[in-house]
Amino acid sequence: MADVRVENLVKRFDDVTAVNNISLDVKDKEFTVFLGPSGCGKTTTLRSIAGLERPDEGNIYIDNILVNDLPPADRDVAFVFQFYALYPHMTVFDNMAFPLKAVKTPKPEIESRINEVSRILRIEKLLPRTPEKLSGGEMQRVALGRAMVRRPKAFLMDEPLTNLDAKLRAEMRAELKRLQKDIGATTIYVTHDQIEAMSMGDKIIVMNFGVIQQIGTPAEVYDHPANLFVAGFVGSPSMNFLQCTYSNELGKSTLIVGNNDFRLDIPESIGKKIKDSATNAELILGVRAEDIFIRDEPSPETVQAEVYIVEPLGSENIIDLRIAENMIKAKTLPTVMPDIGQKVNIWFNKDRIHIFDKNTEKAIF
Ligand code: ATP
């Protein structure tokens, strides 16, 4: 396996800049996920690494070798798509043997590699079957197997689980992650599904409009989003955003939320960060649903909210709350079941709030 490095990659299609000057580093044996909404340039980046698109600018290195001018076949990477593209008239064995035969691998070597990979993927019994007799999950494993027998320097996967039903997707997520660790395969995985990215990636590269928004571990991206886009894209339900301004009346740091709908005293350390780096008074307060709590009794620390709706999800409830014109979602235990219209006291865990500059959209805290 090998590391993959992209330096200042730019790719344009007519007047669309699909990838706009991105640089990234995927380490040997690492599982890196490109995460972002449809059209943000993930696939184009992956295809450029595979050699299926020619960059307009920038360099791509695989195993420290500049591959810009190498055709796809000479880059020694394996591409796994969301469409399995198995040959329908060939058995699973022949489908897996195909890429090896194409490079004239000796027959005994082909057999030994297919046997080894089939064992790892638990598809030995499927080898004599044709693809029409396989389930979606089995087809996906065969497609992976066909990539694995080549022993490539890196796996490039473009939404490979998209066509599976929700249950199988969840199973395959875990299987794929385990497999990647077992074989130590450098993997770049493209998805728009933040759950896949969070659950599988060692590293997540969040993209939007052809630009990298943040690179970090799942925990870094979730707990310390670099900007409003990342904060809103990663996490379910999405982070709550409340418009606010900062006040330091009487020497006390306070956020004035909405149209003075409520005030939230914040630690001086956060106040100092706002004073030091906010470009103007307009801020966005970000709070995740799990950091909002419903309290039985009001206190100077709580804010009154009205229950708009309760969404029971079995293991937890999402409670939509209204404070004047502000709507927010709180995540609670399933036993918390307030009535629609009920007034409740909510408390924000200030250790976990986020402050963004409304003007630059960058995180201040
Ligand atoms: P998706 O998840 O929908 O595949 P993506 O993040 O992978 O999205 P890309 O497929 O890389 O995004 O596309 C990035 C931008 O480039 C989009 O605006 C897309 O329409 C455009 N684009 C991609 N390929 C081509 C092409 N061959 N010709 C013209 N425009 C293209």
Side-chain angles (χ1 to χ4, degrees), residues 13-14 16 18 36-45 53 159 190 192:
F13 298 103
D14 303 321
V16 176
S38 186
C40 74
K42 313 177 289 290
T43 297
T44 304
T45 306
E53 301 289 355
E159 311 236 13
V190 160
H192 61 270

Side-chain angles (χ1 to χ4, degrees), residues 297-355:
E297 299 296 329
S299 79
E301 291 273 288
T302 60
V303 178
Q304 195 179 69
E306 184 187 310
V307 175
Y308 182 74
I309 196 75
V310 179
E311 303 171 62
L313 297 178
S315 61
E316 66 200 21
N317 289 345
I318 304 295
I319 306 198
D320 293 38
L321 299 157
R322 197 208 306 258
I323 311 168
E325 297 307 309
N326 312 281
M327 292 294 293
I328 54 171
K329 288 177 190 281
K331 202 183 267 189
T332 68
L333 291 171
T335 46
V336 179
M337 268 297 210
D339 296 325
I340 289 178
Q342 189 179 328
K343 300 277 192 294
V344 292
N345 309 300
I346 60 168
W347 178 79
F348 295 89
N349 181 357
K350 289 177 203 161
D351 291 338
R352 296 193 42 92
I353 61 173
H354 303 261
I355 312 278

Side-chain angles (χ1 to χ4, degrees), residues 26-38:
V26 178
K27 298 209 164 45
D28 187 27
K29 300 188 173 58
E30 193 174 62
F31 197 132
T32 294
V33 180
F34 292 168
L35 172 69
S38 186

Side-chain angles (χ1 to χ4, degrees), residues 16-257:
V16 176
T17 304
V19 178
N20 193 356
N21 193 19
I22 69 168
S23 298
L24 58 98
D25 200 359
V26 178
K27 298 209 164 45
D28 187 27
K29 300 188 173 58
E30 193 174 62
F31 197 132
T32 294
V33 180
F34 292 168
L35 172 69
S38 186
C40 74
K42 313 177 289 290
T43 297
T44 304
T45 306
L46 200 69
R47 288 173 57 83
S48 303
I49 295 170
L52 301 170
E53 301 289 355
R54 198 175 170 76
D56 291 305
E57 292 171 34
N59 290 323
I60 296 171
Y61 299 85
I62 298 173
D63 211 4
N64 283 321
I65 297 166
L66 183 65
V67 296
N68 286 30
D69 295 322
L70 280 188
D74 295 342
R75 295 194 182 194
D76 201 6
V77 293
F79 213 111
V80 184
F81 300 89
Q82 72 190 66
F83 303 106
Y84 319 121
L86 300 176
Y87 297 107
H89 58 286
M90 288 186 195
T91 62
V92 166
F93 182 95
D94 288 336
N95 263 287
M96 288 170 74
F98 191 80
L100 298 178
K101 282 186 184 158
V103 291
K104 304 210 169 15
T105 311
K107 210 168 159 205
E109 174 71 14
I110 293 180
E111 283 185 7
S112 103
R113 286 204 204 176
I114 292 180
N115 287 338
E116 185 199 354
V117 167
S118 314
R119 194 168 30 78
I120 296 171
L121 289 170
R122 300 196 308 278
I123 53 173
E124 297 112 308
K125 290 205 176 83
L126 308 180
L127 292 177
R129 292 197 207 163
T130 49
E132 63 186 2
K133 298 191 180 113
L134 303 179
S135 70
E138 287 168 343
M139 274 201 248
Q140 188 51 262
R141 266 180 286 181
V142 173
L144 270 175
R146 189 176 51 181
M148 283 166 63
V149 291
R150 288 177 45 199
R151 297 186 183 157
K153 286 185 177 158
F155 289 100
L156 309 180
M157 303 194 182
D158 194 356
E159 311 236 13
L161 307 184
T162 299
N163 291 334
L164 306 180
D165 65 51
K167 185 165 178 284
L168 194 54
R169 253 181 110 125
E171 279 171 25
M172 284 298 292
R173 251 188 353 235
E175 276 197 42
L176 202 54
K177 184 172 179 179
R178 176 62 199 253
L179 191 67
Q180 191 269 343
K181 294 287 166 244
D182 282 350
I183 62 176
T186 306
T187 303
I188 308 179
Y189 187 103
V190 160
T191 184
H192 61 270
D193 178 343
Q194 51 96 22
I195 297 177
E196 272 183 15
M198 291 291 290
S199 61
M200 297 170 91
D202 297 317
K203 182 159 88 189
I204 300 179
I205 299 181
V206 187
M207 293 182 69
N208 197 25
F209 296 125
V211 175
I212 292 179
Q213 305 290 317
Q214 186 168 5
I215 300 180
T217 63
E220 283 163 354
V221 166
Y222 188 82
D223 291 332
H224 306 286
N227 57 35
L228 272 179
F229 175 79
V230 177
F233 197 78
V234 176
S236 178
S238 281
M239 186 183 282
N240 295 294
F241 293 133
L242 295 162
Q243 309 247 8
C244 62
T245 51
Y246 172 72
S247 151
N248 194 19
E249 287 163 28
L250 309 170
K252 199 156 102 183
S253 283
T254 305
L255 296 176
I256 303 170
V257 179

